[in-house]
Amino acid sequence: MSLLQISKENMLERQMARLGKEFQNSGFDVDINTLTGIKARVTEQKFYEVMPSDFLPVEVGQNAWAVDSLTYLSTSTGSDFATGIIETGTNSGRIESADTQIDSVIVPRKVWAKSTNYNIPELMQAQVSGNWSLVERKEEARYKNWQLGVQNVAFLGLGDGSTVKGLLTQNNVTVNTSVITKTISSMTSTEFNTFLSTVIPAYYANTGSTVLPTHFVMPMADYLGLGSAVDEAFPLKSRLERLNEAFKTYVPEFVIKGLAYADSANNALGVSRYTMYRGNDASSLTMEIPVDYTTTIYDTINGFNYQSVGYGQFAGVQAYRPKEMMYFDF
């Protein structure tokens, strides 16, 4: 080995040692030596993520920045059909009228904004590692904050007392506690078949015999247990297959989904909540995002500190026809 090679190796070791000290002195507790390789991959935190639009209609970009959203409701107020029958050839009797009553629903909206900041030293220290972008990670963290927040609102709203409601926290929705008294995955074959024969009729009666449901959302813990057979003596089909078959007999496009928010351990409802509703009908219920997530460019007033703002506007879920939703709690 030549003296030049020895000199280069010693220089490399000194540089790596200095780099390690700089990381530690700057708050980055990283041990680096000549055998350390910095991966290009960064391990990120994982969250429970679902798409609200997979569960219900979501309207984006309508009436941006309006403080509230106003929707008119029309109700027929005319008397029944038979009162319109008249006797021809006579000029007596009053002709009945058919009319409609107009009501309205006001949905409140909320504006959201958060900033991200960095300065020159932070940017330089991140660049030293050579495997990740400080600005990119900060932006991803802010967007994730928006995404998970809107997701939580979609299912639980903004909590007790708030006018912003979620799919599982609607007012004026009938709560049934007799059809489901235990997890579906733990029902006996007799109990399971009784459930199949009563749940949709209960919903249909609740709507005034007008419509059938299209969606059934259940606690994820129970949903994941539906892989077992209905009757272990005849393990031909799983409970999930039987549920799909039974519901799709009435509504071919019927959807069954598991949702972690519906588990009593993951909400403040104090119950496990099963929800049956019309999830493909925006006139029945919907969620609004008038202004989707938007960012400003990073800017500075002193050339040292940089700042950007991410913002958006959202509303909760509104059931315009509450009778077309039904909660089954236990």
Side-chain angles (χ1 to χ4, degrees), residues 73-78 98-102:
L73 306 179
S74 174
T75 305
S76 175
T77 59
D99 207 345
T100 185
Q101 177 180 332
I102 301 297

Side-chain angles (χ1 to χ4, degrees), residues 69-73 103-107 283 286 288 318 320:
S69 173
L70 173 65
T71 300
Y72 288 107
L73 306 179
D103 203 350
S104 63
V105 172
I106 296 178
V107 180
S283 68
T286 189
E288 297 180 346
Q318 178 63 46
Y320 297 107

